[in-house]
Amino acid sequence: MMRYYLSELTGEYMSRDHLDHSPEAIAERLAMGPRKVFIKDFVYGGIDGAVTTFAVVTGVAGAGFSSVIIIVLGLANILADGFSMAVGNYLGTKADNQHLENERREELIEIEINPEGEREEIRQIYAAKGFSGNQLEEVVKIITADKTRWVNTMLQEEHGLQLQEHDATRAALVTFFSFALVGLLPLTPFLINWWKTDILSKPFAWSIGITLLAFFAIGALKGRFVNTSWQRSGIETLLVGGVAALLAYSVGLLLSGIVH
């Protein structure tokens, strides 16, 4: 399938992919199946990594502890919370896959027990799409002639499920590595000062700037991936992430008041 975007200069639709649309090339692409994408897992892990690490930086820095304490607690948060998120995403994705298989079994049972009732469901689904008369009956006949096709149609049209299972292991790995990668950014100024003593005079201010920049970069990357305005997507993610960072900062100030 060709992907297009609306050119802001010409007002015309422009192709992003110059794919071969010969019958052979189309058959090859369809045989490969849909692409596995993990942009949701990357954004999910990256945003949470930045926010939770920034919360640690804010709380510990606000309490007046040294940069070494900030680094130790920040790295501990990245490893522990990142692993926790990855495990949660793995189990959640696996549960989605199991739900798909359970619904598949249920539909097969219903087809065996009440084939006419299930056939009528197909008929009504496609009647709602605009099919009628002999054309509708032919569609119902073709779909219900093969149980796999019949069940897949019910899963998509009745339950709104995607037929392709998501790779739970890859989803977890993407979440963890994006969490760790982006989560390191708020710590970067303190790591630099630890490596080169006090080379940055205001590491906390640098941490704020880097964290906000990370939010914008994640949003911009998402925008480029889904063919929307990367500027708008970047600003949207910056605003949402900024609110989360502000909450973390507020908690940090509260904790500093309690400690002192």
Side-chain angles (χ1 to χ4, degrees):
M1 181 181 72
M2 290 284 262
R3 297 186 301 165
Y4 296 89
Y5 70 99
L6 183 62
S7 172
E8 296 179 357
L9 295 176
T10 65
E12 298 178 349
Y13 284 98
M14 308 293 291
S15 170
R16 288 193 185 275
D17 295 328
H18 301 285
L19 299 178
D20 182 0
H21 274 65
S22 66
E24 295 79 9
I26 292 174
E28 182 179 352
R29 285 199 301 274
L30 292 177
M32 292 173 62
R35 292 185 304 164
K36 303 279 187 179
V37 293
F38 298 91
I39 186 66
K40 182 195 77 170
D41 307 291
F42 178 83
V43 173
Y44 174 59
I47 292 292
D48 200 84
V51 169
T52 56
T53 307
F54 183 72
V56 171
V57 169
T58 301
V60 180
F65 293 114
S66 67
S67 294
V68 174
I69 300 298
I70 293 174
I71 292 171
V72 170
L73 292 180
L75 291 177
N77 168 77
I78 289 173
L79 291 176
D81 203 10
F83 180 76
S84 175
M85 284 193 63
V87 170
N89 198 14
Y90 172 83
L91 295 176
T93 303
K94 194 171 182 181
D96 285 340
N97 293 338
Q98 291 169 336
H99 174 63
L100 173 64
E101 289 308 308
N102 181 66
E103 291 297 328
R104 185 182 297 278
R105 286 192 297 269
E106 291 289 335
E107 284 297 334
L108 279 170
I109 292 172
E110 290 179 10
I111 288 172
E112 291 292 336
I113 294 175
N114 188 7
E116 287 307 313
E118 293 297 303
R119 190 172 283 108
E120 177 60 22
E121 288 187 3
I122 293 291
R123 182 175 291 107
Q124 292 193 24
I125 287 171
Y126 280 87
K129 293 178 181 290
F131 292 87
S132 62
N134 292 334
Q135 187 183 50
L136 174 60
E137 294 306 316
E138 186 65 22
V139 168
V140 173
K141 179 180 178 181
I142 292 172
I143 291 175
T144 58
D146 180 85
K147 283 187 179 179
T148 299
R149 181 166 57 238
W150 192 349
V151 169
N152 286 344
T153 301
M154 296 302 294
L155 291 175
Q156 290 178 303
E157 301 293 343
E158 183 183 13
H159 301 285
L161 297 175
Q162 294 183 350
L163 300 180
Q164 293 75 29
E165 292 188 353
H166 204 51
D167 190 323
T169 301
R170 287 190 180 183
L173 289 175
V174 169
T175 298
F176 178 79
F177 283 115
S178 65
F179 184 100
L181 179 65
V182 183
L184 273 174
L185 295 179
L187 288 179
T188 302
F190 300 95
L191 289 168
I192 292 175
N193 273 0
W194 174 73
W195 182 52
K196 293 284 188 179
T197 306
D198 296 331
I199 192 173
L200 298 176
S201 60
K202 296 180 179 179
F204 183 59
W206 278 95
S207 181
I208 294 174
I210 291 173
T211 301
L212 295 178
L213 183 61
F215 290 145
F216 181 83
I218 291 172
L221 179 63
K222 182 194 71 173
R224 295 288 291 180
F225 187 85
V226 299
N227 292 340
T228 61
S229 169
W230 65 268
Q231 298 98 327
R232 187 179 297 111
S233 180
I235 292 172
E236 178 188 39
T237 307
L238 171 62
L239 292 176
V240 174
V243 170
L246 181 61
L247 290 174
Y249 180 74
S250 301
V251 172
L253 288 181
L254 177 63
L255 290 176
S256 67
I258 293 174
V259 171
H260 293 297

